[in-house]
Amino acid sequence: MASRAGSSCAAVRVLWLALGFAGLAAGPASAVVGPSEPGGALAASLVMVLNRNGDAAGFCTGTVLAPTVVMTAAHCAPDGGELRIYDPDQGPTALLPVAAVRRHPDYRTDAVRTRQRSIDLALIRLAAPLPARFAPATLADAVDGSPGSRFTLSGFGVTREGDGRSSGRLRSTTVAAQLPASAVLLWAGDPDHKGRGACTGDSGAPLTRPGTTAVAAIAIWAAGTGAQRCGALTQGLWIAPERAWIDDALRAWAAGR
């Protein structure tokens, strides 16, 4: 989901302006729209991923996997972009530098146009550990998404499509898996048909099964109905099939490679 958004609070807006992150342009997935609740069970494991690339700037949601590692969508960390990790709870000084990025080797930037299979997944290594209050999230070890299965989506994106001022605060909502079934992608919609789903700023946002905090998928794309771009469909990337790549990257970074 590609779109432009601003911050929901003055502190974040001042931070973005100071660093050139004005006129935010999020990646393919946006923020939680439709009925939602503030916060979520993964609040201690989520950060914002800020990216500036030339005149364009954007933000996504990221999941903490280790004190110095954040997982997000690969389109949130493009080549040549200037990345920062941001903790909205700590105010405009909480901007953390990035040391390295690993994008999945099967990620394709032109996948939609060329209809190629793409694994939209990246890991970001910070230059210094996150504050101690952050807790690494756990990852699902199996795909579990039969049609009708419910998931909790948690992200920092906009709550009202097109209104950037409604972004920047963590919110959670419920979506349900639907056809087509896939070993790579989760397709999900609002089970109550009230417009729930991912929107601007929610790329990289985790989807978990109710009652668990293990990340089953991350949001990578969304669609709406008519002129809307959010609220009808949320597409996620299953994490379990990518565990070997994730674990290898974590081990390599831990070993200094």
Side-chain angles (χ1 to χ4, degrees), residues 3 5 13 38 43 48 76 84 98 109 160 176 178 182 185 187 209 221 240 246:
S3 60
R13 186 178 299 110
M48 295 177 72
C76 297
R84 294 291 187 273
V98 168
T109 58
R160 295 182 299 276
Q178 61 186 46
S182 167
L185 299 174
W187 301 81
R209 292 299 303 273
W221 184 81
I246 293 170

Side-chain angles (χ1 to χ4, degrees), residues 35 42 46 52 132 137 146 217 242 244:
L42 280 176
L46 300 182
R52 184 178 64 187
S146 58
E242 314 311 327

